[in-house]
Amino acid sequence: MLLLCIHIILLIIYFNISTISKLRLFCAFDNHIQHFPTQKYLPLQESDDRKTYYLKIHAPWEVLATYADVLKIKVPFKASDIPKAREVPLEWLTHPFRLPDNIMRPEPDYFTAPFDKSKVDFFLIDDKDTFFPPSTRNRIVYYILTRCPYYKEDRKEKDKTGINRLLNNGTYTSAYPLHDCKYWKKAQDMQCESERYHLYKYWARFLCFYKEQPLNLIKKYYGEKIGIYFAWLGFYTEMLFFAAVMGVICFVYGVLSYEDNITSKEICDPKIGGMIVMCPLCDKKCSYWKLNSTCLSSWEMEPYLPFPSKCARFCLSGATVLFWTCLIVACIMGVIAYRLAVYAAFASIMKDSPTSKIQLVGSLITPQLATSVTASCINFVIILILNFLYEHVAIWITDMEIPKTHLEYENKLTMKMFMFQFVNYYSSCFYVAFFKGKFVGYPGNYTYMFGKWSKLRNEECAPGGCLIELTTQLLIVMAGKQMVGNVQEALLPLLRNWWGSRKGRSHPESTYSRWEQDHDLQNFSQFGLFYEYLEMVIQFGFITLFVASFPLAPLLALFNNILEVRVDAWKFTTQFRRPVAAKSRNIGAWEEILNVVAILSVVTNAFIMAFTSDMIPRLVYLYAYHPGDEATMRGYITNSLSLYNISQIPESNLPEAGENPSCAWRELYSTRTTCSSGTSWLLN
């Protein structure tokens, strides 16, 4: 019963106590703990290095009952008499996905009520040692420690209160509840709980990816807050299945209708697209080009603050957020400038590149693709760097605002981080979707990014629109984010724990105590769930805001989340110390953020179909401009392009000598007096 009785471990490393004052703080806090209504279960224990000491805290029944009454913790008072639902037809089909009943429901169903110490006989108390679940016990003890003072009796300094301040000033290095047993085998003592082992066996292993989650056991072991996170993550993943099915249907339909796309056939036809000469896409280094060179890309894929102080803090906070938002915009502008600058270089380098002769993939390696891929990779690296820097800034400015409650603190931090990441992750996608190709001008009067002096001519979209490039951007950023996130969540804790426990592994198991083993695990910070939610909400934005351009995004998200559930479960069960349990009613501010993103996604997808794709011009042509009496898309390509006299194009916009195609194309270009541009729908 030893591990059941130890509720919190306080860790002291005397080697790190550099001043006498910290030692006095420890002694004062230690004395208060002894007189506070908790008691140490075991005396201070020294580790083998004679620098590390473990203080084991135990709360007896009287203390647990007193604070359960204070916190109004709900406990069972009557067995549920609600009849169980009848089995539905074909229920046996779901049996492979189910877990054993003792794992799914570790406790019988009860009616509950807030605990009242004066009415103990009213509640169903069979054993006082196990009446309160582990998560409730460590929550009560930590609640007491956060309110335990450490000032001297003759000098009452009210701000010197709580374990958190002692952790921040280094008097204690950590405080954590123990796991109940080893995760890879049951506890040898039958009286000890083996919930961690059951969580690992039925939940944290990847081979259980198709099984339901034991949410009741998760709540019992980790508390409601973590339980709600996994319940939400599981529901979100299940709903992704339906979106993924629709995305696959759209993708398969596009592949099967490949041969029926008359417009794309005209682009690829050497007698139509092969005879249309397009105007250069950049100045000097870009040559005239055939329309059929884009053949493949054309198919559809509580303290009080004075008002002046509060106002000053608010202004400083707002200015800081605005500065970082402007920094993101500046970085995006830099990436756009990169795209404009290197396109000409890629066009010059790749015009006679041997890669164009590679079978199957040679036709895909174009200056547009090279520019898009490299710019997307650079943008993703910038995103990671800015995220790393802003995390610390967001925490600092939220602390500076001094929120009244922890919930208010979390909500403010959530809004700041999401606003920043929204701009950081999605701004480049918004540029490609709604701005690229919209302000290019026409031959003789092209539009430049910073004026004609910059010589950075605005980009044009391919004849099939910017959807392919938007898909490339989404794929690189979304897949890259998921890959980096999985490495950070799984590989880094594993390596850190392996390195941290290198000394303990050489000791016999009898001398490598459970509290030392748990200490060698990674600490689960108060922002642990925050980053988990943030990762999923950003992913939700990718699969909703731009799904019209990449219908397979929900499928990628589904595969990632199936892995994510088990990686998070494995991480909580094997790599992290047991977090202190916390209450929660819902997912907090994230619910409102998800609602806003869902509403915004309707607008963005409508705009993508209206402005980024050429769906509307095609429909207009099909019903208003088609030749003959039959509604057909034949002739759409030639109708949608504008012709320009090459002799009227300024010298500064013409290709340099030697940049024009040679050999087989030379005769074609030498006889051309006009070139085409895809701007007729804007001009007419």
Side-chain angles (χ1 to χ4, degrees):
M1 294 294 291
L2 174 62
L3 296 182
L4 279 176
C5 297
I6 298 175
H7 297 141
I8 293 286
I9 295 292
L10 299 181
L11 178 64
I12 314 106
I13 300 181
Y14 277 117
F15 182 76
N16 288 342
I17 300 179
S18 57
T19 62
I20 299 297
S21 61
K22 287 187 177 181
L23 184 57
R24 288 174 179 168
L25 290 177
F26 160 67
C27 294
F29 189 67
D30 186 44
N31 291 333
H32 274 283
I33 290 178
Q34 296 182 23
H35 294 94
F36 217 65
T38 79
Q39 64 183 30
K40 289 181 288 186
Y41 182 76
L42 290 176
L44 193 69
Q45 183 167 341
E46 183 181 28
S47 183
D48 290 342
D49 60 8
R50 297 187 179 277
K51 299 174 184 176
T52 307
Y53 297 82
Y54 296 88
L55 181 64
K56 295 172 284 297
I57 304 297
H58 161 67
W61 164 257
E62 286 297 322
V63 174
L64 294 176
T66 299
Y67 281 90
D69 193 346
V70 171
L71 296 174
K72 302 301 179 185
I73 292 174
K74 291 186 176 182
V75 294
F77 69 90
K78 181 183 177 182
S80 175
D81 56 2
I82 299 177
K84 294 184 178 179
R86 296 179 180 178
E87 292 190 0
V88 297
L90 302 179
E91 189 178 14
W92 58 271
L93 292 175
T94 64
H95 286 174
F97 308 102
R98 292 184 178 179
L99 293 175
D101 195 61
N102 65 311
I103 302 300
M104 280 302 296
R105 298 171 183 82
E107 297 175 339
D109 290 334
Y110 293 107
F111 293 113
T112 61
F115 185 78
D116 187 341
K117 189 179 179 182
S118 64
K119 301 177 182 178
V120 173
D121 295 337
F122 175 71
F123 301 99
L124 297 178
I125 304 177
D126 295 328
D127 185 353
K128 291 183 177 180
D129 289 334
T130 59
F131 178 66
F132 294 108
S135 58
T136 300
R137 296 199 293 265
N138 70 59
R139 177 181 159 217
I140 290 175
V141 174
Y142 203 82
Y143 174 85
I144 295 172
L145 293 179
T146 56
R147 285 154 178 79
C148 184
Y150 55 86
Y151 50 78
K152 294 182 179 180
E153 292 297 331
D154 57 339
R155 295 180 59 187
K156 294 188 177 181
E157 303 172 66
K158 298 300 183 182
D159 61 329
K160 291 188 175 182
T161 302
I163 186 63
N164 290 329
R165 289 180 64 90
L166 292 173
L167 289 171
N168 290 335
N169 62 32
T171 304
Y172 290 92
T173 57
S174 60
Y176 55 92
L178 278 179
H179 283 293
D180 62 4
C181 66
K182 296 182 176 69
Y183 65 84
W184 61 90
K185 64 179 181 180
K186 284 187 176 181
Q188 296 179 353
D189 187 351
M190 297 303 295
Q191 292 181 325
C192 290
E193 297 163 322
S194 297
E195 293 174 352
R196 187 189 187 195
Y197 166 76
H198 290 143
L199 285 170
Y200 176 74
K201 181 179 179 181
Y202 295 102
W203 179 52
R205 295 187 304 161
F206 182 73
L207 293 178
C208 301
F209 72 92
Y210 62 94
K211 297 281 189 178
E212 58 186 341
Q213 296 188 81
L215 297 177
N216 287 331
L217 187 57
I218 297 171
K219 183 193 75 170
K220 180 182 177 184
Y221 192 75
Y222 290 114
E224 287 81 356
K225 191 170 186 178
I226 292 177
I228 285 178
Y229 165 71
F230 281 103
W232 172 82
L233 181 58
F235 174 77
Y236 170 48
T237 303
E238 289 176 7
M239 294 300 103
L240 276 177
F241 173 78
F242 302 101
V245 169
M246 292 302 301
V248 171
I249 291 174
C250 293
F251 180 80
V252 171
Y253 173 78
V255 172
L256 295 179
S257 61
Y258 183 86
E259 297 296 332
D260 299 330
N261 194 326
I262 297 177
T263 302
S264 297
K265 283 183 178 180
E266 290 186 350
I267 294 178
C268 298
D269 192 338
K271 296 182 179 179
I272 302 177
M275 300 302 294
I276 297 177
V277 176
M278 304 296 292
C279 298
L281 294 175
C282 65
D283 298 339
K284 301 298 184 182
K285 295 298 181 181
C286 295
S287 66
Y288 301 99
W289 53 285
K290 290 183 179 180
L291 181 61
N292 68 347
S293 65
T294 63
C295 173
L296 292 179
S297 66
S298 66
W299 303 90
E300 298 275 48
M301 298 175 69
E302 199 60 3
Y304 171 75
L305 284 177
F307 178 77
S309 176
K310 185 182 296 185
C311 184
R313 290 171 183 269
F314 177 80
C315 292
L316 180 58
S317 171
T320 306
V321 173
L322 181 62
F323 167 77
W324 279 89
T325 304
C326 292
L327 181 61
I328 297 174
V329 175
C331 291
I332 297 301
M333 296 293 289
V335 173
I336 295 173
Y338 164 84
R339 301 166 70 105
L340 302 181
V342 302
Y343 182 87
F346 278 126
S348 178
I349 294 172
M350 300 177 70
K351 68 178 188 298
D352 295 319
S353 174
T355 57
S356 61
K357 300 179 177 62
I358 301 176
Q359 292 185 356
L360 298 179
V361 298
S363 58
L364 293 174
I365 305 176
T366 62
Q368 291 96 331
L369 178 65
T371 303
S372 178
V373 171
T374 56
S376 298
C377 292
I378 292 173
N379 182 64
F380 179 64
V381 173
I382 292 175
I383 286 172
L384 295 181
I385 294 174
L386 291 179
N387 274 349
F388 175 78
L389 296 175
Y390 186 75
E391 285 178 7
H392 304 285
V393 175
I395 294 173
W396 174 75
I397 59 179
T398 306
D399 288 337
M400 181 188 62
E401 294 176 2
I402 313 182
K404 295 181 179 180
T405 63
H406 182 69
L407 179 61
E408 182 183 354
Y409 176 85
E410 284 190 344
N411 289 341
K412 287 190 173 185
L413 181 62
T414 297
M415 296 305 298
K416 289 182 179 65
M417 283 296 295
F418 178 75
M419 287 171 57
F420 173 83
Q421 296 224 358
F422 184 92
V423 178
N424 200 16
Y425 277 105
Y426 304 142
S427 54
S428 57
C429 296
F430 274 100
Y431 162 73
V432 175
F434 304 123
F435 295 97
K436 183 183 176 182
K438 304 301 186 294
F439 311 100
V440 296
Y442 53 87
N445 188 25
Y446 287 118
T447 304
Y448 294 80
M449 184 176 182
F450 300 112
K452 290 189 177 181
W453 62 270
S454 67
K455 298 183 179 180
L456 296 176
R457 208 172 95 190
N458 286 350
E459 295 179 280
E460 294 185 33
C461 291
C466 285
L467 282 179
I468 296 298
E469 188 166 349
L470 180 58
T471 301
T472 303
Q473 181 82 20
L474 282 171
L475 185 60
I476 290 177
V477 176
M478 182 179 174
K481 182 183 183 303
Q482 293 180 167
M483 186 181 303
V484 171
N486 287 329
V487 169
Q488 288 179 337
E489 291 187 12
L491 186 59
L492 291 184
L494 185 64
L495 294 176
R496 288 170 181 167
N497 289 339
W498 176 84
W499 180 256
S501 62
R502 64 191 185 283
K503 294 181 181 179
R505 289 195 300 270
S506 61
H507 295 172
E509 188 172 354
S510 59
T511 61
Y512 189 32
S513 63
R514 288 299 318 285
W515 37 90
E516 290 178 298
Q517 294 176 38
D518 281 15
H519 170 252
D520 289 337
L521 299 177
Q522 293 297 299
N523 180 43
F524 186 77
S525 70
Q526 61 173 325
F527 300 112
L529 280 185
F530 171 82
Y531 293 116
E532 301 291 348
Y533 276 116
L534 182 61
E535 178 186 6
M536 290 296 102
V537 172
I538 293 297
Q539 180 202 82
F540 179 77
F542 278 123
I543 66 173
T544 55
L545 293 174
F546 307 103
V547 70
S549 68
F550 189 31
L552 290 183
L555 183 64
L556 294 181
L558 175 63
F559 289 151
N560 175 80
N561 285 13
I562 291 174
L563 178 64
E564 179 78 18
V565 172
R566 305 304 160 177
V567 167
D568 285 350
W570 171 81
K571 182 175 61 177
F572 273 87
T573 308
T574 68
Q575 303 301 309
F576 281 153
R577 298 173 190 164
R578 187 176 184 173
V580 177
K583 295 285 288 183
S584 181
R585 293 185 176 182
N586 47 46
I587 63 175
W590 298 112
E591 184 176 358
E592 293 300 321
I593 290 174
L594 289 170
N595 288 334
V596 171
V597 173
I599 294 172
L600 182 61
S601 67
V602 177
V603 179
T604 56
N605 283 287
F607 280 18
I608 286 174
M609 290 186 286
F611 301 114
T612 308
S613 73
D614 61 347
M615 184 184 72
I616 291 180
R618 289 181 184 229
L619 291 176
V620 171
Y621 179 83
L622 179 65
Y623 293 109
Y625 294 99
H626 64 270
D629 298 331
E630 181 185 359
T632 179
M633 291 299 296
R634 289 188 179 89
Y636 168 75
I637 289 300
T638 54
N639 181 271
S640 64
L641 298 175
S642 298
L643 291 179
Y644 293 91
N645 194 325
I646 294 177
S647 63
Q648 296 180 357
I649 300 178
E651 183 68 24
S652 60
N653 298 135
L654 291 174
E656 293 179 343
E659 293 295 338
N660 285 329
S662 55
C663 302
W665 291 10
R666 181 173 299 170
E667 182 178 353
L668 173 63
Y669 282 99
S670 63
T671 60
R672 300 294 299 190
T673 59
T674 61
C675 64
S676 299
S677 178
T679 58
S680 64
W681 286 106
L682 300 177
L683 297 175
N684 295 337

